[in-house]
Amino acid sequence: MKKKLLLIASVVGLLAALFAACHENGKKRIPLRQLPTGGVEPITIPIDMNTNDTTHVLPFDSLFEVVSAVRLEMTDDNPIGLIGDVVFAKGNIVVADYERAKSITVYDWDGHYLNSISGVGQGPREYVYTRYISTTPDGSFVTITDPQKLMTFDVDGSFIGSVKLPFWNFGTEWLGGETYVQTRSSGLDIGKEGYRPCIVASTPDGDIRFSGIPTDQTEKFNWSFMYYFRKFHQQLFYMPAFNDTIFTIDAKGVTPCYYLDIKRNGTITAEDKVDNDTFREKLKSLSAYFNDDFIDCKDYVLLSLSESEVKWNRFAIYAKDRKETFYCTGRFFKDGRYRFICNLYNSAQWFYYKDNIFGIAVPAYDVLFYKQEMYALCQSDEKLKAEIDRLFDGLTEEDNPVLFFYRIKV
């Protein structure tokens, strides 16, 4: 299943006037490679998942190294189901659970539970949505998106303040001054008939600074991307659903950043999106497409891709300085902790830490499922066996997730 999203998710210009001109009737689209005047040409990342070049197709231990595994302490106050997001503030780990307690909890680097941040509810300091959290530009405070407000808290749970927003959204980021950017995959209702953009930057009183990327969703077609914004080293990224372009967003507008030049058989067009069933069949016919996750590291871009003939999500690593793309050989590794990089489960969440280090949040029951395999792989390595012993010591299926940290080293 692959898709080279044709540009129905358009490249959006940098100025509010240009956005209005391009989308006034809600039907115009700027083709993917036809950038507006003054636009920025994205970095092209070549991707060929079927290459047999052994220089670029490497085993896991040539691409990554395991940094650590952190078990999040389980208490009566902080049960976690599925993790929606992980951020780091003031040297602590902040976790958003969107399934079980629907809570936001804080841990130290040994995984000890410290406190919760507010709670679920309809109050002025409460939230109903725990899929996306972020930090302020200096990394000191945690920001929490609620459908129509953005709240800021200290990591100890102290309330700092909130801003009421004009549009119902599922992700919000402050762009500086009085400008906040909001996103929603089904589009934001800004009062223009026939035009529901996925991205709107505005002031709290509704003065729109720019908007763009009209939604593809209709009553019959509602497939979307599970991630809204992605924020790495304080740079905000946006990925339209089933697209090959990754954008950056700042106070000036939306700019194409990476174009994924995926070698595959076919593309996705507007006609494929008439309804969910038609689109599902279209994806089955494609050899590869991007609708998963990515992490922008200091020296690399890590991309998870979907393939119709592969039962697990493979990935590509783009080395920025060398302008080369590397791939994994398959699920072959000497250390069982590499398994979770495969993003085999919808329940495994990627997150960025710093430099070239990223992490994956894995439910305890998934970790335990591979306990026997992990021990079998480390029989001849006493140091590794001791680390595996510590990982599984007292771990149960009901425990909180485990955070695995990896460094890209290709």
Side-chain angles (χ1 to χ4, degrees):
M1 302 156 50
K2 246 96 194 161
K3 55 205 181 117
K4 187 173 216 170
L5 156 33
L6 234 212
L7 0 141
I8 63 194
S10 41
V11 173
V12 208
L14 302 180
L15 302 174
L18 179 58
F19 279 118
C22 290
H23 302 298
E24 185 63 37
N25 62 10
K27 295 181 180 179
K28 282 190 177 181
R29 302 287 191 273
I30 302 174
L32 188 62
R33 306 297 289 165
Q34 182 186 329
L35 302 177
T37 302
V40 177
E41 183 76 16
I43 296 170
T44 295
I45 299 179
I47 297 175
D48 182 2
M49 303 299 286
N50 295 316
T51 180
N52 294 316
D53 177 6
T54 56
T55 303
H56 293 85
V57 182
L58 303 169
F60 276 82
D61 52 9
S62 294
L63 296 170
F64 309 98
E65 61 184 4
V66 178
V67 175
S68 63
V70 178
R71 287 172 47 176
L72 300 180
E73 181 183 14
M74 176 78 160
T75 74
D76 292 338
D77 298 325
N78 72 322
I80 297 176
L82 295 180
I83 290 179
D85 215 343
V86 177
V87 298
F88 304 90
K90 292 184 175 178
N92 293 313
I93 303 169
V94 185
V95 174
D97 163 41
Y98 71 92
E99 181 200 58
R100 196 169 179 179
K102 292 183 171 61
S103 62
I104 297 169
T105 49
V106 183
Y107 305 82
D108 65 20
W109 271 98
D110 291 320
H112 298 135
Y113 170 63
L114 299 178
N115 57 269
S116 295
I117 296 179
S118 189
V120 174
Q122 300 291 336
R125 302 183 181 185
E126 297 174 322
Y127 43 79
V128 297
Y129 180 75
T130 55
R131 184 84 189 192
Y132 180 77
I133 58 176
S134 186
T135 59
T136 52
D138 63 359
S140 297
F141 303 105
V142 179
T143 60
I144 301 172
T145 293
D146 215 42
Q148 215 159 354
K149 65 177 182 285
L150 183 69
M151 295 171 288
T152 304
F153 292 86
D154 200 333
V155 290
D156 65 5
S158 302
F159 179 69
I160 305 299
S162 68
V163 176
K164 185 171 175 26
L165 298 166
F167 307 112
W168 188 273
N169 69 89
F170 289 137
T172 300
E173 285 282 351
W174 177 55
L175 296 181
E178 290 293 306
T179 304
Y180 296 82
V181 62
Q182 302 141 82
T183 186
R184 188 179 179 189
S185 56
S186 58
L188 295 139
D189 185 2
I190 62 173
K192 277 192 175 184
E193 184 178 355
Y195 175 48
R196 293 178 63 91
C198 295
I199 296 290
V200 175
S202 74
T203 61
D205 62 6
D207 179 19
I208 297 177
R209 302 295 170 85
F210 60 82
S211 68
I213 309 185
T215 182
D216 289 323
Q217 294 194 14
T218 64
E219 291 183 0
K220 295 182 178 181
F221 174 75
N222 56 15
W223 280 37
S224 65
F225 199 44
M226 68 179 293
Y227 306 106
Y228 299 101
F229 292 134
R230 295 293 265 145
K231 194 175 183 180
F232 310 118
H233 32 81
Q234 293 304 317
Q235 173 65 65
L236 187 62
F237 292 85
Y238 179 75
M239 301 167 288
F242 302 99
N243 199 339
D244 291 333
T245 300
I246 297 171
F247 299 86
T248 56
I249 301 175
D250 58 25
K252 295 179 180 180
V254 184
T255 304
C257 180
Y258 297 116
Y259 169 66
L260 310 184
D261 187 11
I262 306 173
K263 289 182 171 50
R264 61 178 170 216
N265 61 334
T267 62
I268 293 174
T269 67
E271 289 70 27
D272 299 319
K273 298 182 178 182
V274 293
D275 57 56
N276 290 341
D277 290 338
T278 300
F279 191 66
R280 184 179 295 107
E281 292 306 309
K282 176 64 176 185
L283 293 184
K284 289 179 180 179
S285 71
L286 298 178
S287 55
Y289 60 87
F290 175 66
N291 196 49
D292 296 293
D293 201 0
F294 95 107
I295 295 178
D296 188 79
C297 294
K298 178 183 177 182
D299 301 307
Y300 306 97
V301 181
L302 175 63
L303 298 147
S304 176
L305 295 110
S306 294
E307 302 171 272
S308 58
E309 301 301 323
V310 178
K311 302 303 180 184
W312 59 286
N313 287 11
R314 293 199 291 171
F315 51 81
I317 298 173
Y318 178 70
K320 298 178 182 179
D321 58 344
R322 286 167 282 171
K323 296 181 173 56
E324 294 181 278
T325 307
F326 299 86
Y327 312 91
C328 60
T329 55
R331 291 178 294 174
F332 301 107
F333 33 76
K334 299 175 183 178
D335 183 340
R337 293 172 297 177
Y338 284 122
R339 169 176 289 282
F340 304 109
I341 299 177
C342 304
N343 200 20
L344 290 171
Y345 322 98
N346 291 329
S347 53
Q349 171 67 48
W350 287 10
F351 55 88
Y352 174 68
Y353 173 46
K354 67 177 182 179
D355 296 333
N356 295 317
I357 301 175
F358 69 100
I360 299 178
V362 185
Y365 53 79
D366 280 345
V367 178
L368 284 165
F369 184 84
Y370 292 102
K371 180 177 181 179
Q372 183 176 353
E373 178 187 89
M374 287 191 195
Y375 273 110
L377 289 170
C378 71
Q379 287 302 312
S380 59
D381 188 332
E382 290 301 320
K383 181 179 178 180
L384 176 56
K385 185 176 182 299
E387 293 181 11
I388 300 300
D389 285 339
R390 286 193 292 271
L391 172 62
F392 286 108
D393 184 22
L395 186 68
T396 72
E397 289 188 357
E398 298 302 316
D399 281 337
N400 279 340
V402 180
L403 308 183
F404 292 92
F405 291 83
Y406 308 90
R407 180 183 288 106
I408 302 175
K409 65 170 189 175
V410 66

